[in-house]
Amino acid sequence: MAKAQDFTVVVNDALAALPFDVKAMEKNFRATAVVNEKLSNVALSVAGQWNDIVSHSTKDAISALATVGKAKADPADYAKALTEFANFATNQAVKNFSNYAEITLKAQSEAVELLVSAGKEASNEAAAAVHNAAAEATKVAKKAVAAK
């Protein structure tokens, strides 16, 4: 009868054959976590600011609607109140969209700055790693030539 192969040994041997720098992986994980934390803070700040806009706008709209709902002596006053509310709502929407755009542009700039900074750090670290690997390879090659 055929015996099942134990792949644990095969996997462990394959992983042992791969160059794996645990400290570098931990450093990269920490750097990624820091960037993600900063990006999360940007997103949460935007959400809070947008919530403030919505809350303030809702309070203003409710206040403006209170005047629309008041009893009027002349039917034309109802039309006037609705027109004033429509003008208020239009102006409020324009103001809100302007505020949303301002907040979004600021957040976009912050996010781009964070990502560019992280990219520069990663590029510098990669260049240093390549330089170190080249120096090590040169050292090994010189030893091999000297041994002949």
Side-chain angles (χ1 to χ4, degrees), residues 93-123:
V94 169
K95 185 173 114 180
N96 288 349
F97 285 129
S98 175
N99 289 338
Y100 291 149
E102 182 180 323
I103 291 166
T104 303
L105 286 173
K106 183 179 176 216
Q108 181 182 16
S109 294
E110 289 177 25
V112 167
E113 287 175 21
L114 286 170
L115 294 173
V116 166
S117 175
K120 284 181 183 178
E121 281 185 38
S123 177

Side-chain angles (χ1 to χ4, degrees), residues 8-147:
T8 307
V9 175
V10 174
V11 171
N12 285 338
D13 289 346
L15 289 175
L18 294 172
F20 189 73
D21 186 359
V22 174
K23 290 189 186 281
M25 292 298 290
E26 288 176 357
K27 184 178 178 184
N28 287 336
F29 179 80
R30 286 189 188 110
T32 301
V34 168
V35 171
N36 286 339
E37 178 184 5
K38 290 177 181 178
L39 288 172
S40 293
N41 287 339
V42 169
L44 292 173
S45 173
V46 168
Q49 292 174 24
W50 279 39
N51 184 52
D52 292 344
I53 291 170
V54 170
S55 175
H56 187 263
S57 179
T58 302
K59 288 177 184 176
D60 289 348
I62 290 170
S63 176
L65 274 174
T67 60
V68 172
K70 289 184 180 176
K72 315 273 190 271
D74 186 16
D77 290 340
Y78 287 102
K80 181 181 175 192
L82 285 174
T83 301
E84 287 173 358
F85 179 75
N87 288 335
F88 163 80
T90 302
N91 291 335
Q92 192 71 19
V94 169
K95 185 173 114 180
N96 288 349
F97 285 129
S98 175
N99 289 338
Y100 291 149
E102 182 180 323
I103 291 166
T104 303
L105 286 173
K106 183 179 176 216
Q108 181 182 16
S109 294
E110 289 177 25
V112 167
E113 287 175 21
L114 286 170
L115 294 173
V116 166
S117 175
K120 284 181 183 178
E121 281 185 38
S123 177
N124 291 341
E125 289 175 10
V130 168
H131 176 72
N132 291 341
E136 185 65 28
T138 302
K139 187 167 64 172
V140 169
K142 286 181 181 179
K143 283 184 184 178
V145 170

